[in-house]
Structures are given as C-alpha cells and as structure tokens.
Amino acid sequence: MLEGETLTEAIVEMIRRSSCSIPRDVQEAIAQAAEREAPDSGAQTTLRLLLENIRLAGQLSRPVCQDTGALLFYVRCGREYSQRAIRAAIVAAVRAATQRSYLRPNAVEPVSGKNSGDNTGPGVPYVEWEETESAGLEITLLQKGGGCENVSCQYALPDAALGAARDLEGVRRCVLDAVHKAQGKGCAPGIIGVGIGGDRATGYLTAKHQLLRPLDDRSPDPQLAALEARLFDELNTLEIGPMGCGGRTTVLGVKAGVAARVPACYFVSIAYMCWALRRHTLVARPGEEVAYHD
Amino acid sequence: MIDLQLPASEKAIRRLNVGDRVAISGVIVTARDAAHHYLTHSDGREISGTLRDGVIYHCGPVVAQENGVWRFVAAGPTTSMREEVYEADIIARYGVRGIIGKGGMGDKTLAACRKYGCVYFDAVGGLAVVLAQCVKRVVAVYKLEEFGEPEAMWVVEVEKFPVTVGMDTHGRSIYQEIESRSAARRNELLARKSA
C-alpha cells in the first residue's frame, strides 16, 4: 500500500507531470486544428505556438500555463485506504509542488485578500472520493484555470430570451450562447463540459466530470452523442478562433453528461475548459510499481 | 514582424495597426487586479516613471528565487477585461503606451487608446513557457508581501516578446469585429431548430 512520504512524493510527481504537460489527445486535437486553419493565418501561427509551448514545458519541466488553476483531485481507492491519510498526503504534496514552482500560489482567502502562498486554504485543494471493489489507489488531478472558470456559466430552463425549453434543443441553445459570450476570454479553443440537470452544485460537478473524458470518447447515450457531435461542428462555425482573434477552431471538444434533477429545476451547466486542459492520473495497484498516465 | 523598443514614442505607437505582429524589447511591468486598483487609488510613485511611455502586462507569473535572484518560470497573459474599469484612467494618468493581455478590452479602453496614443497587444493565452523565455531578468518587484506573487508588480526586461496588435489608435478592435461576426452566426444557428 502506498502511504506516508512515498505517497506524498508520488502525488508531487503526478502534479509535476500534470502541470508541465498536456494530454496526448488534446495535443493531437491542437495539431489537427492547426492543419485545418488557413496557411500562415494568425490562427495557425497561434496553434503552432501552443504546440511549441507544450514541447518546451515538457523539456524544461515547467508549468504549461502560469495559471496552474484550481486543483481538483478525484480519488478512487479500495477500503484499505484511509481518506484522512490520503488528504494529508495531497495537502503535503500540493505544498511541496508549490515550493518547487510546479504550481503558482493560487489560494486567496476572500475576506482578507491574503494569498496563503502554498495552495491550501478553506475548501482547497478539492478532493472527491469513490470507494472501489478492488484494492489499490487511483488519483486523477484536473487543473482548471481561472480565465476559463470565469466564462463558465449556468442556465435555468426555460429561458425565454434564448427560446430554450426543457429539452436537448434547449441545451443546444444554451451552449451556443455560452460559447459565443465567452469569445476568446476562456483561452479558446476550449473544451466544453456540459452538465444537464442536477442542482446548482451537482450540475457544475457533472459538467466538470465531462472534462475527464478523452476527446475521442463519445457519450454512450445516442441522443447525447449526437448533441456532442452537432455542437462541435456548429461551434466551430462561429469563427471565434484561437484566443478570440478569428479562425476555424473555436472548440476542441464538447462532452455532455446528466444528473437527475428535481421536477421544478432544469439546469444546464457549462464548464468551459481552456485549451490547456491539464489532467493526469496516478495508479498504485497492490504489488506493482506506481504508474502514471494522462 | 515589427520591432518595438521601449520606452515607446507616441509616433511609433500610432503607426501600428490591428493585425501587426510586434516583438517588444525593453522594460515592462506586470499588473493585474490588485495592482490596477492600487494604481487607480494612489499616485503609484514607485512605478510611475517606468510606466511613462512604457507597457503594462496583464500577467500573474510563476516565479522562482535562486540565491536571492528572481526568475520567471511561466508567464502568459491573464484575461484583460477585468481591468476595463481601471485601464482608461491609468493610460491617461501614467502615460502608458501599450497594454499586453489576452481576450481584448472594451469601448472605454479603446477610446483611451485613440485619445492618448496607446495600443492593446494580444499575447497568446497559455503561452507561458515561451513568453517566460523572453523575460531576460527581473529588475524589481513591488507589493510582493501585500499582494502575493501573482498580483505583485514585477518590473522585467523582455527581449523580442511576441504579440499581435488587437486594438489600435485608429479605433479598430479585432475583438469587436470577431464578436459581431460570431453574433450573426450564433443567431443563424439559433434560428435553425432541431435537425
């Protein structure tokens, strides 16, 4: 079982890998998008610069983006693990990773305005738990930057102004509106997580969970899969482009998921993720070496 | 690529047009939310000389300190629109010639750019390592204790810092143009109901 110092160091290594790299599926999507842009256009130049930045970040072990984001940890573990012990290791790892400049000090106490300096504070880092049948530990980190969090939003349907009723067509209209409103401010091209239903809190949680899916993953629900594909095509005709300066690439992916709602509510929650989607997973199976994957 | 050496003259700034690719060299100052609030509500005495004919960079960097020397590790732009309430006043009061950021700014800033001779430069959001490599040294830092690392005012010397003119002194803004074009497209898509 992974514990104590060894666990902390393994988490620090996962944070380093997460912060200093971009998952392969996202890199491939950026590379393909660069090929689709008009030759020598600003959009193509920008997308190629992003790839160069990713290469350099990996080579130098430096954060891909200076906004190393809110740290969202998703833990899945067997019953042999203690949640308190894992949380303590996560907190220690976050402090160490900040010390080593893999993370920017990003936790500001809202009343005093003081930055804690080590990424810890009330409510952060955020950790979600799931107990698994089998033994072992799996921790996924998602780093979500503030610029794209600011353009994330939530709609309560029906929305008369948008002509959005309580159905998937209504959801489509919300997403078109949200991505248009975001323009380049969320660091387009974005990856759009859509949470349909839930309450105000679980709607957003559902939307953020979609960002953990690989870009080539399609919803198992055929209606949602069709909505994801349609929105991907439609959003890219908005021509907002990389950084909102025009071009054929406005989004790199659209992923939708659901949470049951109470009859009175129908929320559509949109988690806009910047192109710099940073996620990484640590896996510790009994009797095996610790492994990492994006 | 147009080379721009700081401090910049008003004439050099007024020659720039939306879409121009520019490489900036010289001393710039990072400022984001806390710094803009501070510059608006004080005389910014420690920094006013550097800001005159200078450039503000909307950025909260990742920094490292080795043997007492600060180094920029990752330093891409932050969203500029948050400073819209302050920027026009700061351009007027401090004689700033350029703003570097991402996402563009609004009408008030655009009007100030035209009136006082200032441009808005678009840096690529998330281009943190490439841009940090253009930072040759940290000259000084102000308000580090009070504001924290991301919000402090970092005075840095940059070399060939790559940007594109997003808003010029002639009243043009690439962001306004893209916004209105994409709004028209959004409305077309909304008019088209379920397939």
Side-chain angles (χ1 to χ4, degrees):
Chain A
M1 204 172 96
L2 203 53
E3 56 193 340
E5 273 295 294
T6 327
L7 175 57
T8 301
E9 271 311 312
I11 300 172
V12 172
E13 175 57 13
M14 176 187 63
I15 295 172
R16 186 191 69 78
R17 288 170 182 245
S18 171
S19 206
C20 305
S21 72
I22 295 294
R24 265 160 305 172
D25 56 325
V26 179
Q27 282 194 51
E28 277 162 26
I30 297 171
Q32 285 164 12
E35 294 313 305
R36 278 196 305 270
E37 293 289 350
D40 298 323
S41 59
Q44 187 176 65
T45 307
T46 297
L47 292 171
R48 287 189 175 156
L49 277 169
L50 300 184
L51 294 170
E52 166 65 7
N53 189 68
I54 294 166
R55 193 192 60 75
L56 212 54
Q59 189 189 315
L60 301 172
S61 245
R62 291 186 182 180
V64 169
C65 177
Q66 79 290 338
D67 187 354
T68 52
L71 307 172
L72 312 173
F73 289 91
Y74 302 89
V75 180
R76 301 177 73 243
C77 58
R79 61 201 301 178
E80 75 277 18
Y81 278 95
S82 143
Q83 289 194 3
R84 278 189 305 162
I86 295 176
R87 175 176 276 284
I90 288 175
V91 167
V94 159
R95 289 192 168 125
T98 311
Q99 187 68 36
R100 296 180 208 174
S101 298
Y102 301 143
L103 298 174
R104 184 175 73 179
N106 254 5
V108 180
E109 204 283 314
V111 177
S112 65
K114 268 281 173 205
N115 190 322
S116 69
D118 64 3
N119 274 305
T120 66
V124 296
Y126 173 80
V127 188
E128 231 177 84
W129 305 94
E130 187 186 333
E131 187 181 296
T132 53
E133 276 294 327
S134 54
L137 169 68
E138 218 180 282
I139 307 178
T140 296
L141 168 63
L142 180 71
Q143 294 174 250
K144 189 156 191 312
C148 61
E149 190 69 1
N150 276 337
V151 298
S152 294
C153 59
Q154 193 168 58
Y155 297 81
L157 299 188
D159 184 311
L162 273 177
R166 296 180 149 197
D167 52 23
L168 291 187
E169 169 57 21
V171 174
R172 167 183 168 261
R173 301 173 87 78
C174 295
V175 178
L176 288 171
D177 186 60
V179 173
H180 170 260
K181 280 203 182 107
Q183 291 291 306
K185 294 177 187 67
C187 279
I191 293 120
I192 313 300
V194 185
I196 306 169
D199 62 22
R200 293 226 181 244
T202 60
Y204 269 129
L205 288 177
T206 305
K208 286 190 178 172
H209 285 167
Q210 308 312 309
L211 303 174
L212 299 171
R213 292 166 55 192
L215 289 179
D216 63 1
D217 183 50
R218 300 185 58 192
S219 172
D221 180 317
Q223 288 191 79
L224 291 182
L227 180 70
E228 290 173 353
R230 183 177 181 192
L231 276 168
F232 178 78
D233 291 338
E234 289 186 334
L235 292 168
N236 281 322
T237 68
L238 290 174
E239 302 242 325
I240 292 166
M243 300 305 140
C245 292
R248 296 168 188 162
T249 316
T250 297
V251 297
L252 297 173
V254 181
K255 304 288 164 208
V258 298
R261 59 184 179 85
V262 296
C265 301
Y266 194 122
F267 295 111
V268 178
S269 309
I270 292 158
Y272 192 113
M273 182 78 209
C274 60
W275 67 263
L277 187 157
R278 285 146 290 169
R279 75 169 129 72
H280 222 87
T281 299
L282 168 166
V283 184
R285 299 259 167 266
E288 290 176 24
E289 292 266 303
V290 177
Y292 304 91
H293 67 82
D294 60 20
Chain B
M1 191 73 102
I2 299 167
D3 278 304
L4 181 71
Q5 185 67 47
L6 302 180
S9 69
E10 183 172 354
K11 206 172 140 201
I13 291 297
R14 289 198 181 273
R15 268 203 299 265
L16 297 172
N17 292 294
V18 161
D20 285 347
R21 291 182 195 167
V22 179
I24 300 175
S25 300
V27 173
I28 66 174
V29 182
T30 71
R32 42 187 290 165
D33 311 81
H36 277 74
H37 184 268
Y38 168 75
L39 290 172
T40 303
H41 295 95
S42 72
D43 61 3
R45 153 175 347 161
E46 64 276 72
I47 203 79
S48 57
T50 315
L51 290 179
R52 175 127 338 249
D53 296 325
V55 166
I56 284 177
Y57 181 23
H58 295 157
C59 170
V62 174
V63 293
Q65 198 178 29
E66 284 154 15
N67 308 319
V69 179
W70 289 104
R71 180 170 62 82
F72 268 35
V73 174
T78 190
T79 311
S80 299
M81 204 53 176
R82 295 197 308 272
E83 319 312 339
E84 177 65 10
V85 287
Y86 308 111
E87 209 72 89
D89 179 46
I90 287 174
I91 291 169
R93 280 172 58 187
Y94 293 92
V96 177
R97 292 284 172 221
I99 307 291
I100 307 172
K102 74 173 174 81
M105 300 190 74
D107 292 339
K108 232 177 112 189
T109 302
L110 187 61
C113 282
R114 187 175 204 158
K115 185 167 177 190
Y116 300 104
C118 178
V119 290
Y120 178 86
F121 295 110
D122 189 280
V124 175
L127 200 65
V129 185
V130 168
L131 294 175
Q133 299 277 81
C134 299
V135 175
K136 294 305 157 192
R137 74 187 172 101
V138 174
V139 179
V141 57
Y142 299 106
K143 298 282 176 189
L144 181 56
E145 258 311 294
E146 196 178 336
F147 295 168
E149 279 173 22
E151 299 274 348
M153 293 183 287
W154 296 90
V155 181
V156 294
E157 190 183 324
V158 299
E159 196 176 289
K160 296 202 182 300
F161 192 95
V163 291
T164 306
V165 177
M167 294 156 61
D168 62 23
T169 57
H170 317 296
R172 265 193 78 190
S173 160
I174 185 76
Y175 312 100
Q176 278 181 359
E177 291 167 19
I178 298 293
E179 205 283 334
S180 63
R181 252 188 282 158
S182 61
R185 179 62 191 152
R186 163 193 172 275
N187 293 340
E188 270 173 43
L189 290 167
L190 288 179
R192 192 196 291 175
K193 286 242 173 174
S194 285

